[in-house]
Amino acid sequence: MPFEKIITVVTDDLDELKHVNNVRYVQWIQDISKEHWKARAPKELQESTIWVVLTHHITYKKPAQLGDSILIKTFIKESKGAISVRVVEMFNAKTNSLLLRSSTEWCLLNAATQRPMRISEDLKNVFIKPN
């Protein structure tokens, strides 16, 4: 069940090569991940848990430039134990060409204890379409 949005590249997103800065891409990956969580997770779970990043793996395919519209899509690839693997893909919205693909491992923590907690089947079903 993908979650998506479109953003437009602005001057502050650019590096010295006039391409979107790599740091900005990481920020967008984190932003859409958080937005997806807030849009779909039950309120009580949002208040009792937090997510932390364990790893980011990003493959850059093509640069984005000033004024480009970028379609950002995210979905949960898999979850096991306390770990969830989230994929984020970014496309040039005009040409539909892939700009980047990322895979991030997130760990679910109990907000009060800050200790890892198992991702329940109910929560998996909110984000991963059952087979």
Side-chain angles (χ1 to χ4, degrees):
M1 297 196 288
F3 182 81
E4 53 187 62
K5 71 177 185 177
I6 293 180
I7 60 170
T8 301
V9 177
V10 298
T11 303
D12 286 345
D13 299 326
L14 304 178
D15 61 18
E16 62 276 356
L17 298 175
K18 306 287 187 220
H19 299 154
V20 171
N21 189 302
N22 293 348
V23 174
R24 185 67 78 200
Y25 283 121
V26 173
Q27 183 64 56
W28 291 340
I29 290 167
Q30 291 203 182
D31 290 348
I32 196 164
S33 299
K34 188 178 206 177
E35 291 167 24
H36 188 203
W37 171 249
K38 288 187 176 231
R40 301 258 171 89
K43 184 78 168 159
E44 61 277 359
L45 198 56
Q46 291 182 43
E47 294 171 354
S48 64
T49 61
I50 54 177
W51 289 96
V52 294
V53 170
L54 299 177
T55 64
H56 278 304
H57 298 279
I58 303 172
T59 302
Y60 299 95
K61 296 291 193 176
K62 293 183 179 180
Q65 299 174 332
L66 183 63
D68 286 350
S69 292
I70 299 176
L71 171 62
I72 307 174
K73 296 182 181 185
T74 188
F75 60 91
I76 303 301
K77 181 179 177 185
E78 62 182 321
S79 292
K80 184 176 181 181
I83 308 299
S84 184
V85 178
R86 175 181 290 280
V87 172
V88 175
E89 297 172 323
M90 298 187 198
F91 299 86
N92 180 304
K94 185 176 181 180
T95 64
N96 201 34
S97 58
L98 181 65
L99 303 174
L100 75 78
R101 185 172 199 275
S102 71
S103 177
T104 304
E105 288 182 326
W106 293 83
C107 182
L108 183 64
L109 302 181
N110 178 296
T113 66
Q114 295 191 1
R115 295 180 59 90
M117 60 183 282
R118 181 170 294 280
I119 300 165
S120 70
E121 289 302 314
D122 288 341
L123 182 55
K124 286 181 190 179
N125 289 336
V126 170
F127 290 94
I128 300 174
K129 193 173 188 173
N131 293 336

